Amino acid sequence: MAIATEVPKASFRLGMLVYDTRYRSITIQVIVLALFIAFVWWLLGNVQSNLAAKGKDISYDFLFNRAGYDIDQQLIPYTNDSTHGRALFVGLLNTLLVASLGCVVATFIGVFAGVLRLSKNWLVGRLMTVYIEVFRNVPLLLWIVLASTIFSEAMPEVKEFKVTQEMIDTGTPPAASMILFDTVSVSNRGTNIPKPYLDRPLGGTMIAGVPINYSTLAVLLTLFASLWLNARIRASAKAIQEATGVRPVTWWKSIAIVFVPTIALLLALGLHWDIPHFNTDANGVSKGFNFVGGINVAHSFTALLIALSVYHGTYIAEAVRSGILAISRGQTEAAYALGLRPNRTMSLVILPQALRVIIPPLISQFLNLTKNTTLGMAISYLDLKGTLGGITLNQTGRELECMLLMMLIYLILSLLISLGMNIYNNSTKLKER
Amino acid sequence: MAQAQMQVSDEVAIQITAMNKWYGTFHVLRDINMTVNRGERIVICGPSGSGKSTLIRCINRLEEHQQGQIIVDGTELTSDIKNIDKVRSEVGMVFQHFNLFPHLTILENLTLAPIWVRKTPKREAEETAMYFLEKVKIPEQAMKYPGQLSGGQQQRVAIARSLCMKPRIMLFDEPTSALDPEMIKEVLDTMIALAEEGMTMICVTHEMGFAQAVANRVIFMDQGQIVEQNAPKEFFNNPQSDRTKLFLSQILGH
Amino acid sequence: MALSYVRSEMLPQQKPPVTETGVLKWVRENLFSSAFNTVLTLLGLYAVYWLVTAAYPWLHNGVWTASSLGECRDIIAKNGGTTGACWALINARWNQFLFGFYNQDAYWRPLMAFGMLFVALAPVLYFGLRRPTTLMAGIASVLLVLSLWGVSTDTWHVMLVVCIMAGLTAIAWVAPKKLVYFTAIYPLVGFFLVWGGSVWGPIGVFVGFCLAVAVLMQLQGRIGVIPAAALSVLVACLWWFWVQPLVTTALANALPIGLVDVDSSKFGGFLLSFVIGVTAISGSLPIGILLALGRRSDMFLIKTLSVGFIEFVRGVPLITMLFTASLLLQYFLPPRTNFDLILRVIILVTLFASAYIAEVIRGGLAALPRGQSEAAGALGMDYWQEQRLIIMPQALKIAIPGIVSSFIGLFKDTTLVALVGLADPLQGITKIVRADIAWKGIYWEPFIFVGAIFFVFCFGMSRYSMYLENKLKTDHR
């Protein structure tokens, strides 16, 4: 064969910067880079001169100063003597709390509504369509504000729960009563729910200002251990099935393993519920101005949670519906033709494929829900936006620092969630050519 | 078929010298040397993965070659955009999967490039388009969308689309591989008619009947190299290389 | 032979058995096909019953004219009802819900801008088809005149509007495709009508665009699209920042033509939502397309910048962008630049939306087969011709549902501007109205009213996208 000879290189001309595919992209990128650097330079220059004009500097020292404001919902100890940094942390925890609970509730609502919308039942299908269309075509902010307004305006006042001597005499019940077997009260001042209480707690410690409760830790550990054992049981059942062709019955083992140890531990720790109530005198007449016991959940939290869940639930419902619809009828028919029964078809053929379609939009809804917790600001829910981006910002006047820090935190949260999604996507990607 | 009609001139249309190409570290095309005269009709065949599609895609630089020289109609293909544009407007290409533009009607498919690339007036472009549609025998489909046509019709439209640019060279990349058997003939007939008019053609195909009917030369490629080339009669009746014999026995041996 | 059989006459079609037809079959199949289904149906019926019994008396007893909530309640009680809606609030504060605190005698201006919006949209929505375009322009004109009469505009302005709209409708009939030119200048017309001020400002901006286009046209053949585009942007910026202020001030002094300036702090209600929503929607689409192309580019730097921008914007909540507009932008702009809060919000909302649009369009681009761009290349098209003529029309078509749902999201998100102190219909106006002592304690009615209007527009948009999807799909097969 002939020897490949190198074409003599044409000498470089200026026109090649524009007309030669090898240099063209470099030319363009250099221009873009120059423009970008100039733009950033211009921005930074402006920031500098603006800060100088206002006599400010950039400093995050304020995070270590006394905050001086109260936060009504705190998952870790916080007083108005705590620092701004701690207020930030309390706010972040509030964000995470409402976001994670919201994701769970919204998923339940969404799966429920999505499946029902597909049901063969005409009436229920239509009702779910109405629910989905109404809730997703109206701004989320409206649902949040409406929920909050209903709570604060339409719920009975605390005093209406009270039993007076007169009522006992005449035998009339109080104007308002508690719900769920007298364990939960919804008044215009908040929702009071029972609080779990341990007679024999294991104590706790503080690590870097965050309280660690040994009892909670123990319960969680037990639960995880049980779940792990359960997974082992299922794995061994599968092994037996693969070896002999017969799958041993495991459901009762699973139930026992998952629930018994945890319940036993809780009983050993002496769990009981502290139910919200009024202090009463000997006759049963209520005393005091407010409920005692239980946990008071602020309406801002409840309203935000409900609104986020029902709103994002509609999007999840649509994701579920289209996920199930995306699996072609042919798949079901093929499974039936192989002799699989409907429930096995669902669990072995349809669901694994549908999940692959459903999970990505589901996670992006989680992402949206997390970002939308910032709307709690409209009803004074003190999340990260309320503390760092709200009161702290206004008190210290450090707009630049607070906003940048806040954006960074939200960015990290979002990136973590999308990271999770990418890992999932890669692990379930269909192997195709 | 009147072989004598198809004159081959001495003028060189495509000259490929010592051309090499790699995908990453994979050496797809190895030392390709090939000359195509004006009016010549060349069929390239070979097992899949032998680099035949890559070779003709290099001729209008849908793929870049890393070594050697490709000269099309006196223009060398380098990374110079002006040369690439010049070559591409001289060379028509027909793809395996037609690649018609599904959002445009057949007529718009045909007039788009003449109007925007050749800067032809719209009326003139439409007249040319109708002329070529008559030629591929589907003028009545002009206002339909590609999705409404059968595969064979789509491929004929694709041929007409290339012809509307008045190319001097036509490249066919497995034009009948994606077609149902009963549609292959209508596309081949179109190509034969084109050959009879003296168009320079390079055609990657497994249609050996077509090769015997119109080709001046058959090139057999394997593992990125030209293994054998010969006039069709010689090539089919008296293959020289073992690889060629094996290949021919596989595709003809039913 | 038993195997041989020939049918001598064909069987006529027969009716199905009675159990397979009629209402009964439908009810049985759709409502009571199984025990579980029956339970679901009963639960559904109960839910409907509960909703109707709760809502019907309330709606039925609704009061439309009253001056306060107390008066409403009295009227309801007098009619023997226990509950009832007090729509009188909407009636009384109608103008505020629609226009915020906009100058009352200038209501015709935003209304006219709104009516013209549909005329401007018509050629885009219906691809320059004569009938629907004219129909849309005509309907918009008629509704506009009616609504002008509704907000009691003086005759003189009504006449003016009638003339202009009649002219536009005539253009739509005579040359529907030419109406696109009106679409092109609409943003400036709309801005001029809503904000008011001297007519020379918008004209100056328009001249800047003309300059840019002229430079692009002259040079793109000679030096390529990207350098020409860069130069044209440069020329336009030179004009806008240095030359135009001098020219427009001079002209405004010499020929003071214009409308009364309306300070944007007076904007509110649905006027505000529409101004922000429409501008951001129309601005985010082109930026989104560029970002999507950038993200798919093989130039490392351009790809990195696009990805960085898109991921950053999608990673932060919209509220932080709004607060950036209200608090941070002043740090990033040259000292003493202080422009309208609404404009700042619009810019950031546009950037925010464009990142989402970019992702949707990227999905559309990814769905296109490679062969399309190869075919375009083989026909000798350059990058921009390929994108404009082949790739984008198809990618946008695929991305329509996603684009429209981004638009819907954007429109709903305009309510968030209340959080930076603008008077949007939901939080801003409703709060003000509810703070009024006469209407204290009312909440269902304003929320239902605002929610219903949002619903109509959002639902309408999503249905239009379905219509469009179907219409474009039939083109294929």
Side-chain angles (χ1 to χ4, degrees):
Chain A
M1 287 195 179
I3 302 152
T5 50
E6 190 62 29
V7 185
K9 278 256 183 311
S11 60
F12 181 81
R13 295 179 320 269
L14 210 57
M16 286 167 82
L17 284 181
V18 179
Y19 290 117
D20 197 301
T21 45
R22 283 169 301 181
Y23 303 111
R24 186 188 177 92
S25 74
I26 298 174
T27 317
I28 295 173
Q29 294 191 61
V30 166
I31 294 176
V32 169
L33 184 66
L35 286 177
F36 181 69
I37 290 176
F39 180 67
V40 171
W41 191 258
W42 181 73
L43 286 185
L44 290 181
N46 286 338
V47 168
Q48 205 179 17
S49 48
N50 279 315
L51 284 175
K54 293 190 172 144
K56 285 185 181 175
D57 56 347
I58 292 188
S59 145
Y60 280 97
D61 288 345
F62 68 94
L63 286 177
F64 304 101
N65 298 342
R66 180 178 177 273
Y69 60 90
D70 289 308
I71 301 175
D72 57 356
Q73 176 186 316
Q74 357 170 313
L75 298 181
I76 57 169
Y78 170 87
T79 64
N80 57 17
D81 279 332
S82 308
T83 60
H84 281 298
R86 196 168 176 84
L88 180 166
F89 195 54
V90 173
L92 179 60
L93 286 180
N94 284 347
T95 295
L96 292 177
L97 178 72
V98 77
S100 47
L101 277 179
C103 288
V104 173
V105 181
T107 310
F108 273 110
I109 295 179
V111 171
F112 186 73
V115 170
L116 280 189
R117 192 176 176 186
L118 279 178
S119 87
K120 290 206 182 81
N121 190 310
W122 181 86
L123 180 69
V124 173
R126 282 307 121 97
L127 279 177
M128 286 304 138
T129 309
V130 169
Y131 154 68
I132 290 172
E133 292 296 346
V134 166
F135 274 83
R136 65 189 271 157
N137 282 313
V138 171
L140 169 61
L141 191 62
L142 186 140
W143 299 119
I144 294 177
V145 177
L146 182 65
S148 154
T149 315
I150 291 175
F151 271 123
S152 60
E153 307 228 353
M155 290 302 145
E157 289 179 44
V158 174
K159 66 177 183 217
E160 292 177 40
F161 287 88
K162 290 171 78 169
V163 181
T164 59
Q165 187 63 48
E166 196 185 348
M167 286 178 188
I168 295 172
D169 294 343
T170 57
T172 49
S177 57
M178 292 168 67
I179 54 173
L180 293 177
F181 309 107
D182 276 354
T183 56
V184 174
S185 75
V186 184
S187 71
N188 62 351
R189 274 204 240 160
T191 308
N192 291 60
I193 58 168
K195 180 182 184 181
Y197 192 81
L198 299 176
D199 284 336
R200 298 175 285 277
L202 295 175
T205 183
M206 297 280 266
I207 296 175
V210 182
I212 305 290
N213 187 327
Y214 290 148
S215 318
T216 319
L217 218 55
V219 171
L220 285 178
L221 278 178
T222 320
L223 198 60
F224 280 124
S226 324
L227 288 175
W228 181 76
L229 268 179
N230 181 34
R232 292 307 307 263
I233 289 178
R234 292 177 64 92
S236 79
K238 195 177 173 202
I240 293 174
Q241 183 186 15
E242 280 167 4
T244 65
V246 183
R247 190 181 177 88
V249 179
T250 57
W251 61 267
W252 56 270
K253 280 191 220 163
S254 292
I255 291 179
I257 285 286
V258 172
F259 291 103
V260 172
T262 313
I263 292 175
L265 176 68
L266 285 174
L267 289 179
L269 291 173
L271 173 81
H272 63 260
W273 296 92
D274 185 10
I275 293 169
H277 59 279
F278 278 102
N279 285 329
T280 51
D281 62 10
N283 293 333
V285 175
S286 309
K287 295 192 298 185
F289 296 105
N290 208 342
F291 289 95
V292 292
I295 303 172
N296 180 277
V297 181
H299 278 328
S300 55
F301 173 79
T302 326
L304 186 60
L305 180 63
I306 291 177
L308 283 174
S309 311
V310 293
Y311 179 81
H312 286 285
T314 63
Y315 286 90
I316 294 176
E318 284 299 271
V320 168
R321 188 174 81 107
S322 55
I324 295 176
L325 283 180
I327 305 310
S328 64
R329 179 187 288 273
Q331 292 288 316
T332 318
E333 285 174 355
Y336 285 172
L338 287 172
L340 286 173
R341 290 206 311 274
N343 55 348
R344 283 263 182 251
T345 303
M346 198 58 171
S347 65
L348 294 177
V349 178
I350 305 298
L351 272 188
Q353 297 186 59
L355 278 184
R356 196 174 287 140
V357 186
I358 293 171
I359 298 278
L362 184 71
I363 295 183
S364 86
Q365 278 312 309
F366 289 169
L367 196 63
N368 288 344
L369 193 149
T370 308
K371 286 187 282 179
N372 278 340
T373 54
T374 47
L375 267 63
M377 187 194 165
I379 52 172
S380 327
Y381 180 67
L382 285 183
D383 62 349
L384 184 64
K385 175 79 194 76
T387 55
L388 174 67
I391 307 179
T392 296
L393 184 150
N394 288 336
Q395 278 189 5
T396 58
R398 297 210 167 261
E399 292 113 348
L400 203 60
E401 294 91 332
C402 286
M403 291 295 298
L404 290 182
L405 184 60
M406 189 171 73
M407 283 185 169
L408 184 70
I409 294 175
Y410 278 116
L411 202 58
I412 291 173
L413 273 184
S414 308
L415 289 180
L416 284 179
I417 295 176
S418 0
L419 187 72
M421 173 151 81
N422 284 341
I423 292 174
Y424 175 86
N425 279 348
N426 288 335
S427 70
T428 63
K429 204 183 276 170
L430 266 189
K431 302 290 179 285
E432 272 176 11
R433 255 156 57 91
Chain B
M1 181 103 5
Q3 282 278 353
Q5 259 183 19
M6 305 186 209
Q7 288 302 321
V8 178
S9 79
D10 294 337
E11 193 189 337
V12 175
I14 301 171
Q15 168 91 48
I16 301 178
T17 325
M19 192 261 275
N20 280 275
K21 174 173 175 58
W22 289 262
Y23 281 134
T25 56
F26 177 56
H27 201 169
V28 242
L29 291 178
R30 309 180 193 176
D31 191 41
I32 304 288
N33 287 289
M34 179 174 152
T35 310
V36 181
N37 286 346
R38 190 158 301 293
E40 229 183 337
R41 296 155 312 272
I42 293 178
V43 165
I44 305 181
C45 59
S48 73
S50 59
K52 48 196 191 317
S53 285
T54 314
L55 172 61
I56 70 165
R57 287 157 63 88
C58 280
I59 295 175
N60 68 351
R61 210 168 168 91
L62 286 178
E63 307 275 354
E64 228 169 282
H65 61 280
Q66 281 102 11
Q67 256 179 29
Q69 216 178 5
I70 302 179
I71 299 174
V72 181
D73 250 353
T75 311
E76 189 190 343
L77 274 173
T78 58
S79 45
D80 192 320
I81 291 172
K82 285 188 209 155
N83 288 356
I84 296 173
D85 284 346
K86 197 167 162 199
V87 167
R88 281 184 177 174
S89 52
E90 296 297 330
V91 178
M93 178 142 186
V94 176
F95 298 86
Q96 179 180 1
H97 295 287
F98 332 136
N99 294 348
L100 292 178
F101 305 130
H103 62 301
L104 302 174
T105 61
I106 301 304
L107 190 64
E108 285 164 343
N109 261 287
L110 265 60
T111 54
L112 189 73
I115 289 177
W116 289 96
V117 179
R118 284 251 192 265
K119 318 276 182 214
T120 320
K122 192 173 175 211
R123 185 164 299 272
E124 197 180 308
E126 280 176 356
E127 279 164 12
T128 320
M130 286 316 293
Y131 171 77
F132 282 112
L133 278 182
E134 306 260 1
K135 210 145 200 191
V136 299
K137 306 203 177 66
I138 34 176
E140 71 283 359
Q141 313 282 10
M143 289 305 153
K144 287 195 180 160
Y145 284 90
Q148 297 166 307
L149 268 56
S150 74
Q153 289 172 325
Q154 289 194 42
Q155 193 60 298
R156 282 187 280 157
V157 170
I159 295 173
R161 178 175 72 178
S162 299
L163 291 177
C164 282
M165 289 293 280
K166 309 268 172 67
R168 307 181 64 178
I169 299 165
M170 285 284 283
L171 308 175
F172 294 84
D173 187 1
E174 308 206 20
T176 54
S177 306
L179 294 177
D180 292 337
E182 74 269 23
M183 292 170 181
I184 292 180
K185 186 174 177 300
E186 60 187 57
V187 172
L188 288 183
D189 285 346
T190 312
M191 288 165 65
I192 291 170
L194 198 58
E196 282 169 351
E197 288 177 10
M199 174 69 79
T200 314
M201 289 165 69
I202 301 182
C203 185
V204 172
T205 184
H206 291 147
E207 295 298 328
M208 292 304 139
F210 173 77
Q212 274 164 331
V214 294
N216 315 83
R217 201 172 0 145
V218 180
I219 295 181
F220 174 68
M221 283 182 74
D222 193 15
Q223 295 180 5
Q225 302 152 57
I226 295 179
V227 175
E228 184 166 349
Q229 56 173 314
N230 215 332
K233 209 171 265 171
E234 284 295 297
F235 181 84
F236 289 110
N237 298 337
N238 188 15
Q240 301 296 312
S241 141
D242 292 341
R243 288 177 182 283
T244 319
K245 285 176 194 159
L246 180 66
F247 176 73
L248 286 176
S249 74
Q250 275 165 344
I251 63 166
L252 299 174
H254 296 284
Chain C
M1 238 165 57
L3 272 177
S4 166
Y5 169 78
V6 177
R7 181 180 287 287
S8 53
E9 72 189 84
M10 304 310 278
L11 294 177
Q13 195 172 340
Q14 289 178 343
K15 277 190 179 164
V18 187
T19 49
E20 287 298 305
T21 54
V23 182
L24 264 181
K25 171 179 183 269
W26 186 88
V27 167
R28 194 157 39 84
E29 275 196 350
N30 291 296
L31 297 177
F32 302 103
S33 60
S34 66
F36 176 66
N37 239 332
T38 311
V39 172
L40 275 184
T41 305
L42 292 180
L43 281 176
L45 281 176
Y46 177 74
V48 171
Y49 169 79
W50 180 81
L51 268 178
V52 168
T53 48
Y56 178 72
W58 189 74
L59 291 173
H60 180 73
N61 295 337
V63 174
W64 286 93
T65 39
S67 59
S68 72
L69 187 60
E71 199 186 325
C72 263
R73 299 239 163 99
D74 289 345
I75 296 174
I76 293 164
K78 209 169 17 178
N79 294 341
T82 47
T83 63
C86 185
W87 302 115
L89 164 80
I90 311 297
N91 206 352
R93 297 304 191 97
W94 172 254
N95 286 346
Q96 222 165 46
F97 274 111
L98 290 190
F99 298 102
F101 305 96
Y102 203 83
N103 298 1
Q104 208 137 24
D105 52 354
Y107 279 171
W108 64 273
R109 281 161 42 183
L111 274 178
M112 181 169 169
F114 188 60
M116 282 177 150
L117 170 68
F118 288 94
V119 181
L121 278 180
V124 182
L125 291 184
Y126 295 110
F127 320 105
L129 294 176
R130 170 172 297 173
R131 257 166 172 288
T133 309
T134 316
L135 203 66
M136 191 154 170
I139 291 176
S141 311
V142 171
L143 288 181
L144 172 59
V145 173
L146 285 180
S147 54
L148 284 180
W149 175 69
V151 296
S152 48
T153 314
D154 53 317
T155 338
W156 168 208
H157 282 125
V158 176
M159 292 308 292
L160 178 74
V161 172
V162 167
C163 290
I164 295 179
M165 295 304 281
L168 286 174
T169 314
I171 295 178
W173 178 251
V174 178
K177 294 228 158 107
K178 291 278 186 303
L179 211 57
V180 176
Y181 292 108
F182 176 68
T183 313
I185 61 163
Y186 175 77
L188 294 166
V189 175
F191 177 87
F192 173 63
L193 279 173
V194 175
W195 265 269
S198 160
V199 73
W200 298 110
I203 289 182
V205 174
F206 179 67
V207 171
F209 279 114
C210 290
L211 276 177
V213 171
V215 170
L216 187 66
M217 287 293 165
Q218 285 301 312
L219 293 184
Q220 72 166 339
R222 255 172 273 171
I223 61 171
V225 176
I226 289 190
L231 261 182
S232 66
V233 169
L234 198 70
V235 169
C237 287
L238 276 178
W239 163 263
W240 284 325
F241 288 119
W242 280 284
V243 187
Q244 191 209 332
L246 305 175
V247 176
T248 42
T249 330
L251 278 171
N253 288 335
L255 279 173
I257 311 172
L259 292 169
V260 182
D261 229 335
V262 179
D263 190 64
S264 68
S265 61
K266 291 180 174 174
F267 289 21
F270 282 101
L271 165 64
L272 184 69
S273 291
F274 277 104
V275 167
I276 296 176
V278 170
T279 329
I281 283 174
S282 41
S284 63
L285 194 58
I287 302 178
I289 290 177
L290 287 182
L291 281 173
L293 288 179
R295 189 165 189 169
R296 281 173 65 91
S297 159
D298 19 298
M299 291 182 232
F300 173 75
L301 188 70
I302 289 181
K303 186 174 174 150
T304 316
L305 286 178
S306 307
V307 171
F309 177 82
I310 292 172
E311 291 305 326
F312 170 75
V313 169
R314 283 161 44 91
V316 298
L318 175 57
I319 290 194
T320 59
M321 297 294 272
L322 294 176
F323 275 85
T324 306
S326 75
L327 296 175
L328 282 201
L329 223 50
Q330 50 167 333
Y331 285 98
F332 290 117
L333 294 176
R336 290 181 308 282
T337 26
N338 188 18
F339 66 101
D340 207 352
L341 176 60
I342 292 186
L343 282 184
R344 279 183 280 163
V345 163
I346 286 177
I347 291 173
L348 282 190
V349 171
T350 308
L351 290 180
F352 183 79
S354 63
Y356 285 82
I357 299 276
E359 280 303 274
V360 173
I361 293 178
R362 185 169 73 114
L365 288 172
L368 281 190
R370 247 177 80 87
Q372 291 293 310
S373 81
E374 280 178 359
L379 286 171
M381 293 187 192
D382 65 30
Y383 178 80
W384 293 104
Q385 283 175 340
E386 179 188 320
Q387 298 304 326
R388 189 162 48 93
L389 301 171
I390 308 297
I391 306 299
M392 272 306 150
Q394 297 184 59
L396 289 180
K397 199 182 288 180
I398 298 172
I400 282 174
I403 293 177
V404 174
S405 68
S406 298
F407 285 169
I408 294 176
L410 170 61
F411 185 54
K412 285 187 293 183
D413 282 344
T414 58
T415 50
L416 300 196
V417 300
L419 301 178
V420 292
L422 297 176
D424 84 304
L426 174 58
Q427 260 291 68
I429 300 294
T430 306
K431 215 176 207 169
I432 293 168
V433 169
R434 276 163 35 84
D436 184 344
I437 198 79
W439 304 103
K440 200 155 177 52
I442 196 166
Y443 51 95
W444 279 111
E445 291 85 349
F447 286 131
I448 287 181
F449 170 68
V450 174
I453 293 192
F454 270 105
F455 178 82
V456 167
F457 279 96
C458 297
F459 190 69
M461 273 196 260
S462 75
R463 289 295 128 148
Y464 175 75
S465 97
M466 283 183 186
Y467 151 82
L468 204 58
E469 226 180 310
N470 279 333
K471 181 182 153 59
L472 295 175
K473 210 184 286 166
T474 52
D475 285 354
H476 279 223
R477 191 152 277 272

